[in-house]
């Protein structure tokens, strides 16, 4: 049979990652589970749970880029929340970020089972609105930028994306290790002018089916797009 077509980049206008040639490595087998939970007002928390394994049982190949895809019924209000900067986190740690700037959290599980907390902060990435994904134990800070979903994703039920570039580190690509599981939620609520405002919001009613995806590119050149449908709680 003919190979499946490679899913195109959902956010082609984003930050360019420095070029690196593809390297040999295992085939990643990724799955995605997403939950969407209503909060105060129109606020909603969207939690992504990505699991990765390989066909031969080896350590998953390391990622180059992730693009989180959100159902068209979900909008974002980053301008209503304080921001934190990568420079402040590098200098004083995530605990120095302004109150109210944390808009998500999660957990990273390495191939050997090591668990690490993950924090997400509202941010400006250059001139763009975005999110900083921080793993305090390792000092990793990853930048995500908000971008409109490009065709054909826009016509497939998606509206906004968060585009995350994993910059090259000092290790050769084939020696970097992927994660066995990565959990990350987006959603927080604060009071603005006497009413609750969500970082993520939806006008959908509980029980509505919502569509989510996680476009993923690895150092091997492999691209996958696991998707999930979540019933709004």
């Amino acid at each position: 049979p003919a190979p499946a077509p490679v899913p195109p980049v959902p956010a082609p206008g984003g930050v360019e990652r420095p070029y690196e040639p593809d390297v040999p490595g295992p085939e990643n087998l990724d799955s995605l589970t997403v939950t969407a939970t209503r909060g105060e007002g129109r606020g909603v928390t969207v939690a992504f749970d990505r699991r990765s394994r390989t066909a031969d049982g080896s350590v998953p190949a390391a990622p180059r880029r992730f693009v989180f895809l959100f159902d068209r019924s979900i909008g974002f209000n980053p301008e209503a929340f304080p921001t934190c900067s990568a420079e402040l986190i590098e200098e004083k740690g995530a605990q120095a970020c302004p109150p109210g700037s944390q808009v998500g959290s999660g957990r990273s599980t390495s191939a050997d089972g090591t668990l690490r907390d993950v924090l997400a902060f509202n941010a400006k990435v250059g001139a763009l609105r975005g999110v900083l994904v921080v793993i305090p134990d390792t000092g990793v800070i990853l930048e995500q930028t908000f971008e409109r979903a490009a065709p054909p994703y826009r016509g497939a039920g998606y509206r906004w994306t968060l585009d995350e570039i994993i910059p090259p580190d000092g290790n050769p690509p084939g020696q970097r290790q992927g994660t066995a599981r990565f959990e990350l939620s987006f959603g927080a609520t604060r009071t603005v002018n006497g009413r609750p405002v969500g970082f993520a919001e939806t006008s959908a009613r509980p029980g509505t089916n919502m569509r989510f995806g996680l476009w993923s590119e690895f150092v091997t050149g492999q691209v996958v797009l696991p998707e999930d449908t979540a019933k709004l709680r």
Side-chain angles (χ1 to χ4, degrees):
V6 176
V9 179
V15 177
E16 286 291 329
R17 186 182 191 274
Y19 172 77
E20 285 185 319
D22 298 342
V23 297
E27 178 187 3
N28 284 8
L29 304 174
D30 281 25
S31 62
L32 180 68
T33 303
V34 181
T35 60
T37 308
R38 284 292 293 261
E40 291 183 85
R42 295 171 55 183
V44 61
T45 296
V46 179
F48 288 79
D49 185 351
R50 165 190 167 264
R51 294 174 186 260
S52 191
R53 59 185 180 86
T54 60
D56 61 7
S58 60
V59 176
R64 285 178 178 157
R65 184 178 183 181
F66 292 120
V67 182
F68 294 80
L69 290 149
F70 295 87
D71 186 90
R72 67 171 54 152
S73 69
I74 291 179
F76 292 90
N77 297 304
E79 69 284 348
F81 288 74
T83 60
C84 194
S85 69
E87 293 77 15
L88 179 62
I89 295 172
E90 288 171 349
E91 181 183 352
K92 297 184 177 180
Q95 67 276 6
C97 286
S101 61
Q102 184 177 339
V103 293
S105 62
R107 188 168 62 172
S108 173
T109 306
S110 63
D112 65 6
T114 301
L115 301 176
R116 294 184 174 90
D117 289 334
V118 178
L119 307 175
F121 293 92
N122 187 39
K124 281 282 196 72
V125 180
L128 301 174
R129 295 282 185 179
V131 172
L132 297 179
V133 176
V134 182
I135 306 177
D137 283 357
T138 61
V140 167
I141 302 173
L142 301 173
E143 297 178 335
Q144 300 179 341
T145 53
F146 281 112
E147 296 166 51
R148 292 275 190 174
Y153 300 94
R154 198 176 304 167
Y158 295 117
R159 182 182 174 196
W160 283 104
T161 75
L162 272 169
D163 184 7
E164 175 180 302
I165 301 292
I166 293 86
D169 59 23
N171 297 312
Q175 295 181 17
R176 301 171 200 155
Q177 294 190 350
T179 54
R181 186 178 185 185
F182 198 84
E183 302 161 83
L184 184 59
S185 71
F186 302 92
T189 305
R190 68 190 304 257
T191 300
V192 178
N193 296 327
R195 70 178 187 90
V197 174
F199 180 73
E201 291 191 337
T202 183
S203 57
R205 296 185 177 185
T208 300
N209 285 326
M210 295 179 161
R211 188 176 185 183
F212 300 93
L214 183 56
W215 186 95
S216 309
E217 181 187 16
F218 304 99
V219 294
T220 56
Q222 181 189 7
V223 173
V224 300
L225 177 58
E227 295 177 283
D228 191 30
T229 299
K231 193 179 292 290
L232 181 61
R233 299 174 177 179

